[in-house]
Amino acid sequence: MWCWSRQSAICIPRTATSSPRSRGRRKGAKVAPPRFRSRKDNRQSIRLTRNGFSLRPNRRLYVAKVGALRVAWSRELPSEPSSVTIIKDASGRYFASFVVQTDDQPLPESDTEVGIDLGLTTFAVLSDGTTIAAPRFLRQAERRLRKAQKSLSRKDKGSKNRGKARIRLAKAHARVADTRRDWAHKHSTRIVRDNQAIFVEDLSVKGLARTRLAKSSTTPGGACSPGW
């Protein structure tokens, strides 16, 4: 049941105010409390507005107090950016994420519809009979990941060699994650462009990840499929 507050014009659930036991509780899985950022975090980011960066004619990104940075552009910017976020991930790679203004351009309509059934031996089976094979990116990289993890465990904590080993392990994990994400995006884009409506089964991938089928359910890229 919901009630309206005329003064603030905010919809407030009555159950959250009437019952003392319901205060501070929420539905769904438990989440950790927020924490402050630290210099020891593996992922660092900083956001700059228009007075903190600029794009040079030589396609370089100028950042205040840093200088001109060479950028490997993934695509052309559709408009003038209003802000940029510089991100450093755990493997030591840097990314620049721009905020731009774009116009929505809907895809051409299609007369076909498709249903998707996720699997373990195959990634998915479509209602038209198309079978999408399950790539084993994680299983193929298990040996390399195991070797990098063992090398990291042998290093002394706080040493420079441990820092180098940690970066090597992070790069190995990033390579697997990038490959899986690229594969999932390509297939999802093709399915969305070719069909007007998509039907997906109500499957809890997180629930399967807590069972003995955890690696089999997440290795084909099942963790990426609910985001379609």
Side-chain angles (χ1 to χ4, degrees), residues 154-223:
R154 295 191 182 101
K155 301 298 186 295
D156 296 332
K157 292 185 177 180
S159 63
K160 292 185 178 181
N161 288 334
R162 185 178 178 86
K164 296 177 182 178
R166 183 194 62 80
I167 293 178
R168 285 195 295 267
L169 177 61
K171 287 183 177 181
H173 279 288
R175 187 180 299 110
V176 176
D178 293 344
T179 306
R180 294 176 61 178
R181 192 179 300 109
D182 178 73
W183 181 88
H185 286 337
K186 287 180 179 179
H187 281 275
S188 61
T189 302
R190 180 180 58 83
I191 294 175
V192 170
R193 289 182 180 275
D194 297 343
N195 300 276
Q196 185 66 22
I198 301 174
F199 303 91
V200 185
E201 61 177 333
D202 187 10
L203 179 64
S204 177
V205 179
K206 291 184 178 180
L208 290 176
R210 293 192 295 266
T211 64
R212 60 185 179 88
L213 300 176
K215 185 175 292 187
S216 298
S217 61
T218 56
T219 296

Side-chain angles (χ1 to χ4, degrees), residues 39 48 56 64 137 171 209 211:
R39 292 185 178 181
L48 303 171
R56 298 296 175 84
F137 298 123
K171 287 183 177 181
T211 64

Side-chain angles (χ1 to χ4, degrees), residues 7-72:
Q7 296 180 357
S8 57
I10 299 177
C11 188
I12 304 174
R14 183 172 296 177
T15 56
T17 58
S18 59
S19 177
R21 295 183 179 180
S22 62
R23 295 178 181 176
R25 297 184 181 180
R26 57 180 291 275
K27 294 182 179 180
K30 293 183 179 180
V31 295
R35 63 183 183 87
F36 293 101
R37 292 183 179 181
S38 173
R39 292 185 178 181
K40 297 181 181 180
D41 293 341
N42 293 328
R43 185 180 183 276
Q44 300 286 342
S45 64
I46 181 174
R47 182 174 178 270
L48 303 171
T49 55
R50 284 297 307 167
N51 57 351
F53 77 99
S54 63
L55 298 178
R56 298 296 175 84
N58 56 359
R59 298 178 58 84
R60 295 201 175 194
L61 172 63
Y62 175 80
V63 178
K65 297 185 179 181
V66 177
L69 305 177
R70 185 175 58 183
V71 181

